[in-house]
Amino acid sequence: MTARALVLSALAGGESRVVRPLRANDTMRMAAGLTALGARVDTTDDEVWTVTPGRLRGPATIDVGQAGTVMRFGTPLAALAEGTVTVDGDPQARRRPLRPIVDTLRALGVDLDASGTGGLPLTVRGTGHVEGGEAVIDASGSSQFVSGLLLVAPRFEKGLVLRHEGPPVPSAPHLRMTTHMVRAAGGVVDESVPDVWAVEPGELRGREWVIEPDLSGAAPFFAAALVTGGSVTLRGFPAESWQPVERLAELVGQLGGAVVSGSEGLTVRGTGSLHGIDADLSEVGELTPVLAALAALADSPSRLRGVAHIRSHETDRVAALATELGKAGAGVTEHHDGLDITPGPLRAVAWATYDDHRMAHAAAVLGLAVEGISLDDVGCTAKTLPEFPELWADVVNARS
């Protein structure tokens, strides 16, 4: 939500305020990318960031690090700049798919060079405007392919009619968040036809964005309540949210816990008993590593499916989870789109995180119940939650 708010604010007709933003590696890279393009993003105050739009221009460089959002939101944004913009990132980012956005921008008349795989590093030679029009995309690899284009489409001269052709688009709640936020900024988006998004050209408004607490970031803490039979509250979570709260509640209920929304926030309560689940996680793929750890601690086997797209995240999460859970003693069968997990006697293991924050979260959850789990790198959690080690220590100490 912070990343989307920053992009929309940089394209608006006036100043915006981003209240309670997520300060993490990914969002700071987004802010730095916007600054490089000509916007002013003041991040000195932890509670409120101020974004002042400016004329987008090159030469400029956007360093995405490992951030898929910066890569997939920043590339269409660079197409609106006047001049040359280079987009590049870490070796992991160079392996992540980007071709659907590259091909769509080319079809809309944008002049750009990409790597042989259609991804990073790439160079966009912008003219200060994009004509827009109609385009077809296969967004089955990531909802961010669509989101990145929709966020900037109001600034296209003819707007954009984008049609998805291919297997279902994953992470639908994230895509709904995008369309809601474009409308909140004054954009007009019609998504009444399945797999078609029609965005009218027009000016976006500067406004105040109040950022919700992140369900994906809270997932390991909610899992701690389920493992220990305790209770964890995510404070400040709104009564109405664009995030997949209902799906989270369904999954927690199947696992043996409960989700309660109240005046203090969103609370997950556990019973100390964990049950295996058979779940399609296509809408909530980011939860897969934590849910896999819970499945390894459950009282019956689990099937986690619908997540082929997470093979192209920071690492191949399906393969990585199969490897690490297998090392710890769980029975794991890897499928192209998920995992079968059979709990077994678990043992101490040196858990490899693959420089992936979600893999570190999974190890932390497993370590609540298995003595001697160690992580090779907890620093990777700074990607989206730099305070994770301290927050996790607080939870463990509260439990003891």
Side-chain angles (χ1 to χ4, degrees):
M1 190 175 177
T2 300
R4 288 160 174 79
L6 288 173
V7 172
L8 291 168
S9 298
L11 294 174
E15 186 178 275
S16 294
R17 288 160 41 92
V18 183
V19 179
R20 293 200 297 272
L22 171 67
R23 182 184 289 274
N25 285 355
D26 281 13
T27 53
M28 294 304 291
R29 287 187 183 275
M30 182 66 79
L34 296 175
T35 299
L37 288 174
R40 288 208 315 271
V41 185
D42 184 350
T43 62
T44 54
D45 186 337
D46 284 342
E47 290 300 312
V48 180
W49 292 355
T50 303
V51 183
T52 306
R55 185 172 65 87
L56 302 181
R57 77 288 180 269
T61 298
I62 300 175
D63 182 354
V64 311
Q66 288 192 43
T69 48
V70 182
M71 177 172 69
R72 292 162 182 158
F73 297 177
T75 299
L77 191 68
L80 288 170
E82 182 177 359
T84 301
V85 179
T86 300
V87 185
D88 201 1
D90 293 353
Q92 297 96 318
R94 290 186 172 190
R95 294 192 292 268
R96 299 187 71 174
L98 187 61
R99 184 182 290 279
I101 285 181
V102 169
D103 289 348
T104 301
L105 290 173
R106 281 178 173 153
L108 294 171
V110 177
D111 181 11
L112 58 82
D113 295 328
S115 71
T117 61
L120 302 183
L122 62 80
T123 300
V124 182
R125 288 177 287 274
T127 60
H129 64 88
V130 175
E131 184 176 2
E134 297 188 8
V136 176
I137 191 170
D138 179 355
S140 57
S142 175
S143 65
Q144 291 176 356
F145 297 152
V146 176
S147 287
L149 292 162
L150 297 186
L151 288 168
V152 302
R155 290 283 299 272
F156 292 175
E157 292 178 357
K158 295 181 179 178
L160 177 66
V161 177
L162 187 65
R163 184 172 73 255
H164 163 68
E165 291 183 357
V169 181
S171 304
H174 288 166
L175 193 44
R176 288 194 293 270
M177 177 186 290
T178 298
T179 55
H180 282 306
M181 292 182 70
V182 172
R183 291 190 189 102
V188 178
V189 185
D190 182 353
E191 52 186 330
S192 58
V193 178
D195 290 334
V196 178
W197 299 267
V199 183
E200 296 182 9
E203 185 171 302
L204 298 173
R205 297 189 300 265
R207 54 160 291 162
E208 180 172 280
W209 298 99
V210 180
I211 305 301
E212 300 176 4
D214 177 28
L215 283 185
S216 297
F221 301 96
F222 289 154
L226 298 176
V227 172
T228 64
S231 174
V232 170
T233 297
L234 180 60
R235 290 178 179 166
F237 199 84
E240 295 184 2
S241 170
W242 296 334
Q243 299 181 72
V245 181
E246 292 182 359
R247 185 66 181 124
L248 174 72
E250 291 172 0
L251 291 166
V252 168
Q254 293 167 16
L255 287 161
V259 175
V260 179
S261 180
S263 58
E264 290 190 357
L266 196 68
T267 299
V268 172
R269 297 194 178 106
T271 61
S273 296
L274 278 171
H275 310 310
I277 59 173
D278 182 344
D280 181 345
L281 303 180
S282 57
E283 289 199 345
V284 289
E286 292 283 356
L287 302 182
T288 304
V290 163
L291 291 174
L294 291 172
L297 299 173
D299 57 12
S300 58
S302 293
R303 177 82 188 272
L304 307 180
R305 48 194 168 80
V307 289
H309 61 287
I310 72 171
R311 288 186 178 276
S312 59
H313 281 202
E314 284 78 353
T315 188
D316 180 339
R317 287 179 177 166
V318 175
L321 287 166
T323 298
E324 300 308 312
L325 289 172
K327 282 165 46 179
V332 185
T333 302
E334 181 180 343
H335 301 284
H336 80 283
D337 74 333
L339 300 164
D340 290 341
I341 300 172
T342 301
L346 300 180
R347 56 182 175 267
V349 67
W351 180 281
T353 61
Y354 304 83
D355 202 21
D356 185 333
H357 55 146
R358 306 295 183 199
M359 289 295 293
H361 294 167
V365 171
L366 207 62
L368 289 171
V370 182
E371 188 75 25
I373 297 290
S374 63
L375 287 71
D376 67 349
D377 174 28
V378 74
C380 61
T381 56
K383 184 177 190 295
T384 51
L385 188 59
E387 304 91 343
F388 178 79
E390 292 78 18
L391 292 171
W392 192 255
D394 288 345
V395 169
V396 173
N397 290 335
R399 175 192 171 211
S400 62

